[in-house]
Amino acid sequence: MPSYDILIAFAVATALFAYMPGPALLYTAAQTMARGRRAGLMAALGIHIGCYVHVMAAAFGLSAMFRHVPELYAALKIVGALYLVWLGIGVLRQKTSADLPQVQPKSARRALADSIVVEVLNPKVAIFFIAFLPQFVDPAASLPVWLQFLVLGTIVNFAFSSADVVTVFATSTIMAKIRANGLGQKVIRYLGGSILVALGARLATDRG
């Protein structure tokens, strides 16, 4: 594995990237606002599971295809963006009762499945891993390069997931103070749906 100096730099950089406000944190916050804390946690788990697809792709060189086949990158980005917009519209169209309902297990499972799909369909995650991880991989180390990718990628994934979980609990705490009245409930739902639609629009129009 890399030297301790490189590993310390890796840990610091990972923490900064993990807790820097961005689309992933907004997504988990939106799911929490739309479906509740349990669904938010399932969304975080879904992102975590989906991220392993990108970690393994980076480890075995599959993510490099996005650099050499820009059409593939663009197509996957558009599909992922449309899926996010579709999720947001679905949230906006939900009917809200006078009393805030408890999140059903089906909603939580749906959040898990949706989040896995959203993460897998986000090519920016793949690009991040093939740009970030090689900075901390040592070809001369005793461990094979692909195994170093897997280990470092797993650490990054857990760091990002910890930030997602913190976001879920912070969002649910704020929601608990607002959800008491029907108007606040509607505002939360519309805000959550709008964030999902906005994230989809941003992914579709981003030239990066």
Side-chain angles (χ1 to χ4, degrees):
M1 291 295 285
S3 66
Y4 285 112
D5 290 341
I6 294 179
L7 289 176
I8 291 174
F10 168 75
V12 172
T14 298
L16 289 175
F17 277 117
Y19 284 86
M20 184 183 302
L25 298 186
L26 286 175
Y27 175 82
T28 52
Q31 286 282 9
T32 305
M33 286 186 282
R35 292 170 170 165
R37 184 171 65 183
R38 181 179 178 183
L41 290 173
M42 294 299 281
L45 177 60
I47 292 175
H48 183 83
I49 294 172
C51 189
Y52 282 116
V53 173
H54 297 295
V55 172
M56 294 186 68
F60 296 104
L62 299 179
S63 295
M65 289 190 301
F66 289 127
R67 285 182 172 174
H68 302 295
V69 188
E71 294 82 6
L72 178 62
Y73 176 89
L76 191 62
K77 184 174 71 170
I78 293 298
V79 172
L82 292 176
Y83 190 72
L84 270 174
V85 172
W86 179 74
L87 290 179
I89 292 175
V91 169
L92 292 173
R93 295 181 62 185
Q94 288 177 358
K95 293 183 178 180
T96 306
S97 61
D99 296 322
L100 187 65
Q102 295 294 321
V103 177
Q104 298 298 321
K106 183 178 180 181
S107 297
R109 290 195 298 270
R110 178 64 182 272
L112 172 65
D114 287 345
S115 301
I116 292 175
V117 174
V118 166
E119 184 70 2
V120 171
L121 291 178
N122 187 358
K124 281 186 168 293
V125 179
I127 295 298
F128 168 79
F129 277 112
I130 62 174
F132 180 69
L133 293 183
Q135 312 303 320
F136 306 99
V137 169
D138 183 5
S142 58
L143 286 179
V145 169
W146 67 267
L147 185 55
Q148 292 182 57
F149 265 100
L150 285 180
V151 172
L152 296 176
T154 299
I155 294 173
V156 170
N157 196 9
F158 272 101
F160 275 60
S161 293
S162 71
D164 290 336
V165 171
V166 170
T167 300
V168 170
F169 279 98
T171 302
S172 62
T173 299
I174 296 172
M175 285 172 55
K177 300 179 181 179
I178 303 175
R179 301 171 91 172
N181 63 79
L183 178 60
Q185 180 184 341
K186 290 181 180 179
V187 169
I188 288 173
R189 180 167 57 85
Y190 280 113
L191 182 59
S194 298
I195 289 174
L196 291 175
V197 172
L199 286 174
R202 176 184 173 181
L203 180 60
T205 57
D206 192 349
R207 297 181 180 180

